[in-house]
Amino acid sequence: MRAIQAYRFALDPAPSQERLLRSHAGAARFAWNWGLAQCQQRYQAAGRWYSGIDLHKLWNAAKKADPALAWWSENSKCVYQEAFRDLDRALRDFIASKKGQRKGKRLGFPRFKKRGRCKDSFRFSTGSMRCAGTTVTLPRLGVIRTHESTRKLARRLAAGTARILSATVSRSAGRWFVSFTVQLQRAIPARHARPGSAIGVDLGVRTLLTGMDDRGTLVAVPGPRALRSSLRRLRRASRAHSRKAAGSANRRKSAARLARIHAQVVGVRADALHKATSALAARYETVVAEDLNVAGMTRNRRLARAIADQGFGMARRMLGYKTTWNGGFLLLADRWFPSSKMCSGCGAVKATLSLSERTYRCDCCGLAIDRDVNAAANLLALAASGAESLNACGGTVRPGLAGHVPVNQEPGTAQAGQTGTASGQPVAAEQELTHAH
């Protein structure tokens, strides 16, 4: 299987190399602002933008004619070219979003980047890009040490099963990182190591995930709640930062301290999600999870912080590609499926179920069970119903936004391989499950 994958390494540059890194980041920022100004001028005159190729041609002519741009040769030419490509993509995405042709949040018009107010980053698409041991080699920057070993990627490159497409260098929380976009051949097993195994996974606020597998075993993974555990430190650091004078050295130091705490929160959360999803994908062939409306859930001001702290969206994305890598597949239950309101014993559905009710009590059969365990059991029943063998056919009939047409497969799961969407009705013989191939 041919796939596009990213390998990210933390850099440990020498002082001279860090100056070059900052210079390249500044060049990329200048190229973006220069190209945006050119596009605005042309739009006012002709009512259209410059493309990325047109901007590159204009830049090649301007850098030779304008003595004020004589410094351009200090940085790689790739930095300017990739900045123009990014600007061209941003303008096209803005138009598509304005016309309703792009999913997700409505995008605004690209803005100028200001030093210290935007993320420092730049990209290489050509030149010498390789890694070996604890070093990486980048164009115009030379050999830079890394904090961790790069042998996993180096072995693939040496074996000829991977090819570096680009390298993006960025600075986050005072540290420099390089992310290699790699095209590689990934060996996907014909069958999962445990064929026929299945688990229903319910994501929650108190517990990161609660699962019920086909053997009746309960799997519970407590979330680290990285933001909640660091909230006291973040509040103190934020108050200290607000008291520093603007533009002073102390304010820069406090900003760096605050950024390091945020970076630690992100790292702890990502580490916990990677470990949990990797274990599930390696142990079970079929993983059934809910298609949660995370954007809508975070609009609840009482739960937004706790929901964001668990990383529901990231967990779903990880399960999607990791199940594929292990020869399994992920099934996504429709977001209208009443996994929490439906009794896992008799199938009765409650009209309402408040979030404070942590124990599900069925009025029909008298079953009393933990709320999350009940939801996991209902999700597991979707895998056992046999509905996953049906192919996608037709779009959803539920009402949506004006102008939105039904789709015949669950959006956003094309990279998850055999990923499907279960019907939003209670489990029944006529229930359908669509697959996105």
Side-chain angles (χ1 to χ4, degrees), residues 194-308:
R194 298 181 62 207
S197 57
I199 186 173
V201 176
D202 178 71
L203 299 174
V205 174
R206 294 190 176 184
T207 304
L208 177 60
L209 61 88
T210 302
M212 176 71 72
D213 64 9
D214 53 333
R215 297 184 178 182
T217 305
L218 180 63
V219 178
V221 178
R225 298 187 182 183
L227 179 60
R228 182 177 180 179
S229 61
S230 302
L231 202 56
R232 177 181 173 87
R233 295 169 57 203
L234 281 171
R235 285 171 175 167
R236 295 187 64 180
S238 297
R239 285 197 297 266
H241 178 69
S242 65
R243 290 193 292 265
K244 302 297 187 294
S248 64
N250 285 336
R251 188 173 179 86
R252 288 195 298 270
K253 293 178 183 178
S254 64
R257 187 182 305 112
L258 188 61
R260 285 194 296 269
I261 300 176
H262 279 291
Q264 183 181 10
V265 170
V266 173
V268 171
R269 181 187 300 120
D271 180 68
L273 289 173
H274 272 295
K275 290 178 179 177
T277 53
S278 295
L280 288 177
R283 187 173 180 182
Y284 299 101
E285 181 183 26
T286 305
V287 179
V288 188
E290 291 179 291
D291 180 22
L292 298 175
N293 182 16
V294 180
M297 295 169 65
T298 52
R299 294 192 184 101
N300 186 337
R301 64 183 184 87
R302 298 182 182 273
L303 296 175
R305 178 185 294 166
I307 293 172

Side-chain angles (χ1 to χ4, degrees), residues 42-361:
R42 187 183 186 187
Y43 188 80
Q44 293 176 357
R48 55 179 300 183
W49 323 109
Y50 283 115
S51 66
I53 297 177
D54 294 337
L55 286 174
H56 194 231
K57 292 179 180 178
L58 289 175
W59 170 255
N60 287 336
K63 68 184 182 183
K64 298 176 182 178
D66 190 354
L69 301 177
W71 51 265
W72 75 268
S73 59
E74 299 175 2
N75 308 293
S76 173
K77 62 180 182 180
C78 255
V79 172
Y80 309 99
Q81 184 175 358
E82 294 301 320
F84 297 143
R85 289 178 179 174
D86 291 342
L87 177 59
D88 181 46
R89 188 181 303 110
L91 289 171
R92 286 188 282 108
D93 289 345
F94 164 71
I95 296 298
S97 178
K98 187 177 181 180
K99 293 180 178 179
Q101 301 172 354
R102 187 181 188 276
K103 298 177 182 178
K105 186 179 179 181
R106 180 68 63 89
L107 297 180
F109 187 80
R111 295 183 294 180
F112 291 96
K113 296 183 178 181
K114 184 177 180 180
R115 178 185 176 185
R117 301 294 296 271
C118 66
K119 184 177 181 180
D120 291 336
S121 66
F122 56 92
R123 185 167 60 252
F124 299 108
S125 58
T126 59
S128 178
M129 295 178 289
R130 56 181 181 270
C131 58
T134 57
T135 61
V136 295
T137 303
L138 299 174
R140 297 298 297 269
L141 299 175
V143 180
I144 305 178
R145 293 187 61 86
T146 59
H147 281 277
E148 59 270 349
S149 175
T150 63
R151 62 178 180 272
K152 183 176 290 187
L153 175 58
R155 289 173 181 174
R156 287 185 175 274
L157 295 174
T161 59
R163 181 171 65 92
I164 296 178
L165 301 179
S166 65
T168 303
V169 182
S170 60
R171 188 168 70 94
S172 177
R175 299 181 65 183
W176 289 93
F177 297 86
V178 59
S179 179
F180 291 107
T181 302
V182 181
Q183 184 184 54
L184 51 83
Q185 292 289 339
R186 175 171 291 277
I188 302 297
R191 297 193 65 184
H192 193 270
R194 298 181 62 207
S197 57
I199 186 173
V201 176
D202 178 71
L203 299 174
V205 174
R206 294 190 176 184
T207 304
L208 177 60
L209 61 88
T210 302
M212 176 71 72
D213 64 9
D214 53 333
R215 297 184 178 182
T217 305
L218 180 63
V219 178
V221 178
R225 298 187 182 183
L227 179 60
R228 182 177 180 179
S229 61
S230 302
L231 202 56
R232 177 181 173 87
R233 295 169 57 203
L234 281 171
R235 285 171 175 167
R236 295 187 64 180
S238 297
R239 285 197 297 266
H241 178 69
S242 65
R243 290 193 292 265
K244 302 297 187 294
S248 64
N250 285 336
R251 188 173 179 86
R252 288 195 298 270
K253 293 178 183 178
S254 64
R257 187 182 305 112
L258 188 61
R260 285 194 296 269
I261 300 176
H262 279 291
Q264 183 181 10
V265 170
V266 173
V268 171
R269 181 187 300 120
D271 180 68
L273 289 173
H274 272 295
K275 290 178 179 177
T277 53
S278 295
L280 288 177
R283 187 173 180 182
Y284 299 101
E285 181 183 26
T286 305
V287 179
V288 188
E290 291 179 291
D291 180 22
L292 298 175
N293 182 16
V294 180
M297 295 169 65
T298 52
R299 294 192 184 101
N300 186 337
R301 64 183 184 87
R302 298 182 182 273
L303 296 175
R305 178 185 294 166
I307 293 172
D309 198 12
Q310 295 289 58
F312 289 167
M314 188 182 298
R316 169 186 154 176
R317 182 179 61 84
M318 291 180 179
L319 283 173
Y321 68 81
K322 289 182 181 181
T323 50
T324 304
W325 288 355
N326 287 272
F329 53 93
L330 171 68
L331 302 182
L332 291 178
D334 186 84
R335 63 183 52 176
W336 301 105
F337 178 71
S339 60
S340 298
K341 297 180 181 179
M342 185 170 61
C343 177
S344 58
C346 65
V349 180
K350 284 190 174 184
T352 58
L353 182 66
S354 64
L355 192 61
S356 60
E357 298 180 46
R358 303 312 305 172
T359 301
Y360 182 90
R361 302 182 187 277

